[in-house]
Amino acid sequence: MTDPAGYGIDNLPFGIISDARDEEKRPAVAFEDNVIDLDCLVHRGALDAESLLGATTLNAFLAEGRATWRAVRARLQHLLGDAASTDERSAVAKATLPRDAVTLHLPVEIGDYVDFYSSIEHATNVGRIMRPGAELLPNYRHIPIGYHGRSGTVVVSGTPVRRPHGQRKAPDAALPEFAPSTMLDVELEMGWVAGGASSHGEPVPANAVRDHVFGYVLLNDWSARDIQAWEYQPLGPFLAKSFATSISPWIVTLDALEPFRVEERTRDPEPLPYLRASEPWAYDIELEMLLQTPAMRDRANAPYTIARTNFRGMYWTVAQQLAHVTSNGANVRPGDLFGTGTISGPTPGSEGSLLELTHRGSNPIALPNGEKRAFLEDGDTITIRGQAKNANKHIALGEVTGTIVQ
Ligand code: CA
């Protein structure tokens, strides 16, 4: 039984499902321990949303924009709530499937994929490890740093991740070698999925988040640190990160997360005017990362939490990322994916990568069964979970999981 907690009427995250009875992909929302087939609801006339009918991705729906997203969400809350009529309840019943019985697919066809670097704690920790003496580069507090990633290798949670081969060079070696990565790592991140439309040549202001951001997923930016260390200068990450990026299957909408927007951290210096939004865009979202080794799995040992952190401490927010990425006139399109960057906190155990948690492998994590991990070994499973919770509401971000294969 799937845990229904966090999947109530306040959440209703969007995804793409199929099931054994009907292998066609179709849009759905998660509700309690079920999914509601939106194609079926539209087909039966209970939901007016042409862009969801026969859709195998959410791209067309995302292109419709905020008014449609809100109308569909409000209609679904009515259909699933106490005020639904007998006919409406009957339509919902016909569109309901157990969540455990469906296969989840990538929710959108990913367009462009960008990964930011928006946790100052992560940037400082990595700087300390990679460039002793030059921890935080002078541009960091002025400009949201990021790079363009590879959208074609974004995979849905549960997809196995093959250990990449690549070029690396040990510091004391004369020449590089080509071999499987021995420093395979994770990056605990969130990602936002763009919707609506912007025009090429027209920057999007920081205050236009609600028109251009549909919602959030959890994201694991798998990273090969040995390949990265050799290739990243002078142009940044390339093959060390392009082999796979995993995302959670359910997109949690901006509206569902609205009660969890909180004040942003103080920035010094104040960012340039185009990076200032008139309302705060930090979120209080609890995140954790768990590891299960093959030996743990064989003995039915539960996954072990290796990091706990919170999204609220990020230095750069979605508003600044959106404004920055379009500030040169580049447009965002429905289905574009933007990673936040590794979410690391200020305290030990709140770092979002093994690079940081193990100090580049020199201080391996001791697991409860006696095993140790510096970096990932074949068969290891990493799961990232997220939730937002207060006295009245509980929103599950779900999870993104992946197992390393040879
Ligand atoms: Ca990253």
Side-chain angles (χ1 to χ4, degrees):
M1 180 71 98
T2 310
D3 177 11
Y7 290 95
I9 206 155
D10 295 323
N11 192 350
L12 303 181
F14 286 75
I16 293 289
I17 61 158
S18 63
D19 69 333
R21 194 188 53 195
D22 179 356
E23 290 183 358
E24 282 290 302
K25 290 182 189 174
R26 52 207 195 275
V29 291
F31 178 57
E32 297 176 344
D33 49 16
N34 294 318
V35 301
I36 312 298
D37 179 340
L38 301 180
D39 176 70
C40 178
L41 282 186
V42 177
H43 193 70
R44 290 179 176 278
L47 181 68
D48 181 15
E50 228 20 57
S51 57
L52 291 170
L53 190 64
T56 56
T57 70
L58 294 172
N59 293 61
F61 177 60
L62 266 52
E64 297 253 21
R66 178 179 164 198
T68 300
W69 309 335
R70 287 204 160 161
V72 166
R73 177 174 165 82
R75 177 67 182 160
L76 289 171
Q77 287 183 324
H78 167 78
L79 290 173
L80 298 166
D82 296 335
S85 69
T86 310
D87 284 356
E88 288 168 341
R89 278 170 204 280
S90 156
V92 168
K94 292 197 169 67
T96 300
L97 293 160
R99 196 138 51 93
D100 283 354
V102 299
T103 303
L104 295 164
H105 303 273
L106 270 184
V108 291
E109 184 181 347
I110 313 281
D112 286 310
Y113 165 48
V114 164
D115 196 18
F116 284 99
Y117 197 58
S118 293
S119 158
I120 197 169
E121 282 79 15
H122 174 69
T124 304
N125 291 340
V126 171
R128 201 169 283 151
I129 292 164
M130 306 286 260
R131 294 181 302 274
E135 276 110 39
L136 193 66
L137 294 171
N139 58 2
Y140 190 86
R141 291 175 187 272
H142 297 278
I143 185 169
I145 300 291
Y147 68 95
H148 281 88
R150 191 164 189 85
S151 58
T153 54
V154 177
V155 295
V156 74
S157 175
T159 307
V161 173
R162 185 160 299 218
R163 178 179 299 276
H165 284 59
Q167 248 198 62
R168 62 169 180 239
K169 190 182 95 55
D172 51 354
L175 292 169
E177 59 177 346
F178 183 82
S181 170
T182 56
M183 296 175 74
L184 188 50
D185 199 355
V186 292
E187 290 193 338
L188 183 172
E189 303 192 16
M190 291 188 55
W192 52 270
V193 180
S198 77
S199 304
H200 192 180
E202 290 177 23
V204 175
N207 280 330
V209 171
R210 290 191 180 84
D211 292 325
H212 295 280
V213 179
F214 177 70
Y216 285 93
V217 291
L218 299 170
L219 186 150
N220 185 345
D221 174 26
W222 305 95
S223 301
R225 300 302 180 192
D226 41 359
I227 300 171
Q228 186 179 358
W230 173 232
E231 75 172 6
Y232 90 106
Q233 289 178 320
L235 281 187
F238 189 30
L239 303 189
K241 287 166 175 286
S242 65
F243 58 95
T245 306
S246 300
I247 62 170
S248 54
W250 295 110
I251 306 178
V252 176
T253 63
L254 223 59
D255 283 341
L257 289 171
E258 178 65 17
F260 300 96
R261 277 196 308 118
V262 292
E263 284 302 317
E264 299 172 14
R265 68 186 292 159
T266 307
R267 284 178 210 88
D268 182 21
E270 177 88 352
L272 288 167
Y274 81 97
L275 292 172
R276 295 178 201 161
S278 58
E279 51 183 336
W281 283 103
Y283 287 95
D284 181 9
I285 297 174
E286 299 161 25
L287 299 158
E288 68 173 334
M289 182 157 61
L290 305 98
L291 168 67
Q292 189 181 44
T293 68
M296 291 164 72
R297 196 156 41 242
D298 288 349
R299 292 178 200 115
N301 297 335
Y304 177 67
T305 299
I306 57 172
R308 280 183 207 281
T309 188
N310 193 296
F311 189 39
R312 69 186 303 159
M314 300 298 273
Y315 197 85
W316 299 110
T317 67
V318 60
Q320 293 159 330
Q321 292 165 352
L322 175 66
H324 186 65
V325 84
T326 60
S327 60
N328 62 352
N331 51 325
V332 289
R333 298 174 300 174
D336 286 355
L337 174 68
F338 297 85
T340 59
T342 308
I343 302 169
S344 293
T347 53
S350 66
E351 302 97 333
S353 68
L354 292 171
L355 178 75
E356 295 160 88
L357 288 163
T358 70
H359 300 270
R360 207 182 195 205
S362 64
N363 185 19
I365 295 169
L367 298 170
N369 68 351
E371 288 185 287
K372 289 187 172 178
R373 279 296 183 274
F375 289 99
L376 296 176
E377 297 188 9
D378 291 344
D380 285 355
T381 299
I382 286 285
T383 302
I384 296 167
R385 293 183 183 145
Q387 61 173 346
K389 223 173 170 177
N390 62 24
N392 306 314
K393 293 187 192 293
H394 182 191
I395 302 290
L397 272 293
E399 65 176 36
V400 56
T401 190
T403 299
I404 304 301
V405 297
Q406 203 174 359

Short mmCIF file of all heavy atoms in Angstrom, two decimals, residues 113 115-116 147 187 189 221 223 241 341-342, ligand 1:
data_model
loop_
_atom_site.label_atom_id
_atom_site.label_comp_id
_atom_site.label_asym_id
_atom_site.label_seq_id
_atom_site.Cartn_x
_atom_site.Cartn_y
_atom_site.Cartn_z
N TYR A 113 17.59 21.75 -20.62
CA TYR A 113 17.85 21.44 -19.21
C TYR A 113 19.04 22.27 -18.74
O TYR A 113 20.10 22.24 -19.35
CB TYR A 113 18.12 19.94 -19.04
CG TYR A 113 18.73 19.57 -17.71
CD1 TYR A 113 18.20 20.06 -16.52
CD2 TYR A 113 19.85 18.75 -17.63
CE1 TYR A 113 18.77 19.75 -15.30
CE2 TYR A 113 20.43 18.42 -16.41
CZ TYR A 113 19.88 18.93 -15.26
OH TYR A 113 20.46 18.63 -14.04
N ASP A 115 21.20 23.37 -15.14
CA ASP A 115 21.39 23.09 -13.71
C ASP A 115 22.12 24.28 -13.08
O ASP A 115 23.20 24.66 -13.53
CB ASP A 115 22.19 21.81 -13.52
CG ASP A 115 22.08 21.28 -12.09
OD1 ASP A 115 21.15 21.69 -11.36
OD2 ASP A 115 22.93 20.47 -11.70
N PHE A 116 21.48 24.86 -12.07
CA PHE A 116 22.08 25.98 -11.35
C PHE A 116 23.00 25.47 -10.23
O PHE A 116 23.24 24.25 -10.11
CB PHE A 116 20.98 26.90 -10.79
CG PHE A 116 20.36 27.77 -11.85
CD1 PHE A 116 19.14 27.43 -12.44
CD2 PHE A 116 20.99 28.94 -12.25
CE1 PHE A 116 18.57 28.23 -13.41
CE2 PHE A 116 20.42 29.74 -13.23
CZ PHE A 116 19.21 29.39 -13.80
N TYR A 147 24.86 25.80 -15.66
CA TYR A 147 25.39 25.31 -16.94
C TYR A 147 24.24 24.62 -17.67
O TYR A 147 23.25 24.21 -17.05
CB TYR A 147 26.57 24.34 -16.73
CG TYR A 147 26.17 23.03 -16.08
CD1 TYR A 147 25.89 21.90 -16.85
CD2 TYR A 147 26.06 22.94 -14.70
CE1 TYR A 147 25.50 20.71 -16.25
CE2 TYR A 147 25.67 21.75 -14.10
CZ TYR A 147 25.40 20.64 -14.88
OH TYR A 147 25.02 19.47 -14.28
N GLU A 187 23.78 14.23 -6.38
CA GLU A 187 23.54 15.60 -5.95
C GLU A 187 22.06 15.74 -5.65
O GLU A 187 21.21 15.58 -6.54
CB GLU A 187 24.02 16.62 -7.00
CG GLU A 187 25.55 16.63 -7.08
CD GLU A 187 26.12 17.81 -7.86
OE1 GLU A 187 25.40 18.40 -8.68
OE2 GLU A 187 27.31 18.12 -7.64
N GLU A 189 18.90 17.58 -5.25
CA GLU A 189 18.43 18.86 -5.78
C GLU A 189 16.92 18.82 -5.92
O GLU A 189 16.29 17.77 -5.86
CB GLU A 189 19.03 19.12 -7.18
CG GLU A 189 20.55 19.10 -7.22
CD GLU A 189 21.14 19.63 -8.52
OE1 GLU A 189 20.41 20.32 -9.28
OE2 GLU A 189 22.32 19.35 -8.78
N ASP A 221 21.22 14.83 -9.61
CA ASP A 221 22.21 15.12 -10.65
C ASP A 221 23.43 14.22 -10.41
O ASP A 221 24.40 14.62 -9.77
CB ASP A 221 22.59 16.62 -10.57
CG ASP A 221 23.71 16.98 -11.52
OD1 ASP A 221 23.88 16.29 -12.54
OD2 ASP A 221 24.42 17.97 -11.23
N SER A 223 26.81 12.45 -10.61
CA SER A 223 28.05 13.14 -10.97
C SER A 223 29.25 12.22 -10.78
O SER A 223 29.38 11.59 -9.74
CB SER A 223 28.24 14.37 -10.07
OG SER A 223 27.15 15.27 -10.21
N LYS A 241 28.54 14.79 -15.89
CA LYS A 241 27.16 14.93 -15.44
C LYS A 241 26.13 14.61 -16.51
O LYS A 241 24.96 14.47 -16.20
CB LYS A 241 26.93 16.37 -14.95
CG LYS A 241 27.61 16.63 -13.61
CD LYS A 241 27.68 18.08 -13.28
CE LYS A 241 28.24 18.31 -11.90
NZ LYS A 241 27.31 17.97 -10.81
N GLY A 341 20.56 23.11 -8.31
CA GLY A 341 21.90 22.92 -7.75
C GLY A 341 21.77 22.15 -6.45
O GLY A 341 20.70 22.11 -5.82
N THR A 342 22.88 21.51 -6.07
CA THR A 342 22.91 20.70 -4.85
C THR A 342 22.48 21.52 -3.64
O THR A 342 22.94 22.64 -3.46
CB THR A 342 24.34 20.18 -4.61
OG1 THR A 342 24.77 19.55 -5.80
CG2 THR A 342 24.38 19.19 -3.46
CA CA B 1 24.17 19.80 -9.90
#
